[in-house]
Amino acid sequence: MADTLTITDNRTGRQYELAIADGAIRSTDLRQIKADADDQGLVTYDPAFMNTAACRSRITYIDGDKGILEYRGYPIEQLAEHSTYLETSYLIIFGELPSPAQLEGWTTQITLHTMLHENIKKLMEGFQYDAHPMGVFLSTVGAFSTFYPDAKQIFDEQSRKKQVHRLIAKVPTIAAYAYRHSIGRPYVYPDNELSFTGNFLNMLFRMTELKYKVNPVLERALDVLFILHADHEQNCSTSAMRGIGSSHVDPYSAMAGAAAALYGPLHGGANEAVLRMLNEIGSVEHIPAFIKRVKAGEGRLMGFGHRVYKSYDPRATIIKRTADQVFEVTGRNPLLDIALELERIALQDEYFVTRRLYPNVDFYSGLIYQAMGFPVTMFPVLFAIPRTAGWIAQWEEMLLDPEQKIARPKQLYVGAPRRDYVALGTRG
Ligand code: CMC
């Protein structure tokens, strides 16, 4: 017998049988439940989509209670240990780990698309000297749609593939230019002989040397961080990507919106906020007073808590390990002591324990980025680079899903009832 849910409407005494598939009922099945003939039918009310699945997805699986994260079925721990960001991005976008030939072809394509049009460079030069790199990043991604009008052919597979190559390859270049712009240094062109992250570090930090020497520990650490940030199912920015993309706009315009969503301090801006918070706390002795303020509702412990994870974020565990490797090269970040003590206290404090608030991906990533020499304003950009893989994969999945249409949530109207216009002179 098929799984069903029986609902009795006390208003009418009628009973309804709703089909359950994949642990869900269809909200549109509720429409038939009406109090009377004028009723438009029952809807579900779910602000912030706390309990609404808006798509079927084959990309990322999360079990928030158990602290499980998998891309296309592969555990994040195994990918962080054995894979590279480029291989993982291929997996996320195309669904399978690449064969050696496929990986070589993918790497070549990405390497060949890293350059930016010179006019993009000019466009970026127009920003204020102190422009936040994330503002520059998302504006430039949006501007791409004017440089690549062929991207409008969203139902042409070859065209989509081209935009995928461009996006994955060019986001580090935009990010690096945004950074160099903010510190008034000349832009460094991509070096095709370097790895994905090696080239990125080169574009960021190269000065007058003929060949930039990438530190292999930092190169690998950044690659691991990129793997960890590559996708995270239907989060705020991914939902933005899908929602905007559902209007059939080109992927650059949709991704500008996704990047804007990521910019916020409750999402990708959290790692920047963590660093500011640690600096503000200043020393271990100030932690109890800070925790007291958080518990009194005066601000949040940034880098803690997650809508989905109600246990330790598995990415945070890997990041903590990576931090140790990075600090061996760069020296210990003095803010680490404050972070470790904050975590220790919070994990045994009743307020955090009962609300199941644990460190998330952003709690330690900022400390690594800072030790590597990145200014805090670059942190959300460092999140956006790898998340591009997830955004594109989710966008394409949405486009090719016959069940998807333009996104259009319902509302419960609670405003004024119909009333007649009052002439300006006669208003009180
Ligand atoms: N510090 C103090 N209290 C918190 C925190 C925190 N970081 N997070 C949640 N709470 C409290 C919150 O006040 C509420 O308490 P009460 O029930 O007494 O009102 C309870 O925990 C539930 O919080 P919520 O706001 O309803 O939970 P949410 O699922 O809507 O929010 C969150 C999730 C990530 C936005 C939130 O935990 C938060 O603001 N964390 C700090 C920002 C942060 O680190 N964000 C990065 C998220 S991971 C990376 C990413 O996905 O971008």
Side-chain angles (χ1 to χ4, degrees):
M1 202 179 85
D3 290 341
T4 58
L5 173 75
T6 307
I7 296 180
T8 307
D9 187 346
N10 286 333
R11 299 170 301 177
T12 58
R14 284 189 59 187
Q15 271 205 346
Y16 302 84
E17 290 266 301
L18 306 189
I20 299 177
D22 297 326
I25 57 160
R26 277 189 179 261
S27 298
T28 45
D29 283 352
L30 296 169
R31 257 193 212 156
Q32 56 180 311
I33 305 178
K34 299 182 178 190
D36 52 50
D38 290 340
D39 190 346
Q40 293 189 0
L42 201 64
V43 297
T44 53
Y45 177 56
D46 189 9
F49 305 110
M50 297 286 286
N51 196 36
T52 296
C55 63
R56 290 173 190 278
S57 184
R58 294 183 163 76
I59 302 172
T60 291
Y61 173 75
I62 302 175
D63 183 329
D65 284 329
K66 297 198 183 114
I68 293 173
L69 169 61
E70 294 165 359
Y71 298 154
R72 303 281 187 183
Y74 293 100
I76 193 67
E77 293 79 8
Q78 292 183 22
L79 293 169
E81 177 85 26
H82 304 294
S83 186
T84 61
Y85 169 68
L86 269 193
E87 184 184 62
T88 297
S89 60
Y90 184 102
L91 168 72
I92 287 175
I93 293 167
F94 300 107
E96 295 296 335
L97 284 169
S99 67
Q102 284 169 328
L103 183 59
E104 200 188 318
W106 171 242
T107 307
T108 305
Q109 281 303 325
I110 299 304
T111 310
L112 291 179
H113 282 91
T114 48
M115 297 282 283
L116 298 187
H117 192 293
E118 283 296 293
N119 284 348
I120 298 245
K121 205 172 93 176
K122 284 192 205 139
L123 183 125
M124 295 178 79
E125 277 163 1
F127 284 96
Q128 277 290 73
Y129 70 93
D130 58 352
H132 194 293
M134 192 61 179
V136 176
F137 179 87
L138 69 92
S139 315
T140 309
V141 170
F144 266 21
S145 72
T146 65
F147 286 81
Y148 304 116
D150 57 313
K152 291 195 188 327
Q153 295 155 32
I154 53 171
F155 290 109
D156 175 336
E157 193 183 348
Q158 285 315 312
S159 169
R160 276 202 311 275
K161 212 169 199 177
K162 185 151 229 173
Q163 315 320 323
V164 168
H165 291 148
R166 285 176 174 153
L167 271 167
I168 297 285
K170 291 183 199 302
V171 285
T173 319
I174 305 175
Y177 281 17
Y179 169 62
R180 300 285 290 204
H181 180 79
S182 70
I183 52 169
R185 287 195 188 145
Y187 303 151
V188 176
Y189 286 101
D191 181 340
N192 287 356
E193 285 178 12
L194 298 173
S195 71
F196 186 81
T197 35
N199 171 53
F200 179 48
L201 289 168
N202 168 62
M203 291 189 292
L204 288 162
F205 298 128
R206 186 171 153 207
M207 294 302 285
T208 51
E209 63 271 37
L210 280 180
K211 189 88 186 165
Y212 178 76
K213 269 218 161 57
V214 185
N215 181 303
V217 176
L218 302 188
E219 184 182 16
R220 177 62 193 158
L222 196 56
D223 213 48
V224 169
L225 284 162
F226 280 2
I227 292 170
L228 300 183
H229 285 87
D231 193 50
H232 212 232
E233 54 119 303
Q234 309 311 314
N235 55 82
C236 179
S237 58
T238 302
S239 303
M241 183 83 192
R242 280 179 173 261
I244 299 170
S246 76
S247 74
H248 290 178
V249 73
D250 67 88
Y252 302 108
S253 301
M255 205 178 106
L262 188 72
Y263 195 178
L266 296 189
H267 191 9
N271 50 17
E272 183 176 346
V274 170
L275 249 279
R276 292 190 196 286
M277 173 190 78
L278 294 176
N279 274 319
E280 232 173 82
I281 295 174
S283 83
V284 172
E285 302 87 73
H286 299 149
I287 292 177
F290 174 78
I291 295 272
K292 205 168 157 193
R293 286 204 301 279
V294 168
K295 286 160 62 175
E298 300 165 26
R300 293 202 156 188
L301 174 49
M302 299 310 287
F304 257 68
H306 200 276
R307 173 63 60 79
V308 182
Y309 294 118
K310 300 302 170 196
S311 66
Y312 217 96
D313 181 337
R315 299 168 300 174
T317 317
I318 301 166
I319 287 184
K320 225 172 148 183
R321 257 201 327 266
T322 309
D324 292 335
Q325 293 156 9
V326 169
F327 295 157
E328 265 180 37
V329 175
T330 61
R332 194 177 157 89
N333 188 328
L335 295 176
L336 180 66
D337 292 330
I338 302 178
L340 286 171
E341 182 62 6
L342 262 179
E343 180 187 337
R344 194 190 64 77
I345 293 182
L347 289 183
Q348 56 190 20
D349 188 295
E350 188 256 336
Y351 175 95
F352 297 92
V353 173
T354 51
R355 288 171 179 77
R356 303 176 74 190
L357 302 170
Y358 293 86
N360 60 47
V361 69
D362 290 317
F363 193 65
Y364 288 106
S365 61
L367 290 173
I368 302 183
Y369 293 146
Q370 194 182 48
M372 283 176 149
F374 292 106
V376 284
T377 51
M378 275 299 284
F379 294 0
V381 181
L382 292 166
F383 195 151
I385 293 171
R387 185 51 60 86
T388 300
W391 287 331
I392 299 171
Q394 300 269 356
W395 166 75
E396 199 166 32
E397 189 178 63
M398 177 274 305
L399 272 187
L400 302 180
D401 181 348
E403 284 197 300
Q404 290 295 335
K405 289 168 177 279
I406 185 165
R408 176 60 169 92
K410 287 195 89 84
Q411 65 166 12
L412 303 181
Y413 179 70
V414 292
R418 185 198 179 282
R419 46 188 170 163
D420 290 323
Y421 179 78
V422 181
L424 183 59
T426 59
R427 277 175 229 160

